Amino acid sequence: FRRVLFRSASDELKEAREGDNIADIQAKHQALMTAAMKLGEAIYASQQEETASADAAADAAADGDDVVDADFEEVDGDQKSA
């Protein structure tokens, strides 16, 4: 749907460029830029959804690992207890 709006705005700008009305050209240019931004937002949102689902699948697969997060303290060889 957004791609159709982008193409429509692009075609309208091309038509406006053939005329002499600067205000019309500027308005069509602004409409094209707005359509381009909305298309970019839709692409970005789609990529975020794909990344989120891939991350969720990776997290689900990693849940079977027995990984323990722990603190440790280094001890010199002289101070080791037997």
Side-chain angles (χ1 to χ4, degrees), residues 11-21 25:
D11 291 341
E12 289 177 9
L13 177 59
K14 286 177 187 176
E15 290 176 15
R17 286 179 49 203
E18 294 173 1
D20 294 335
N21 189 343
I25 293 171

Side-chain angles (χ1 to χ4, degrees), residues 4-76:
V4 173
L5 290 176
F6 181 79
R7 285 187 182 154
S8 174
S10 177
D11 291 341
E12 289 177 9
L13 177 59
K14 286 177 187 176
E15 290 176 15
R17 286 179 49 203
E18 294 173 1
D20 294 335
N21 189 343
I22 298 298
D24 187 41
I25 293 171
Q26 289 174 338
K28 302 297 184 189
H29 178 263
Q30 184 61 38
L32 177 61
M33 299 310 295
T34 301
M37 287 177 55
K38 290 185 185 234
L39 181 61
E41 289 171 1
I43 291 169
Y44 179 77
S46 173
Q47 290 175 342
Q48 292 300 315
E49 290 173 7
E50 290 174 13
T51 301
S53 63
D55 287 347
D59 288 345
D63 284 343
D65 295 340
D66 291 331
V67 177
V68 177
D69 202 12
D71 293 327
F72 69 94
E73 180 179 326
E74 284 192 40
V75 179
D76 287 339

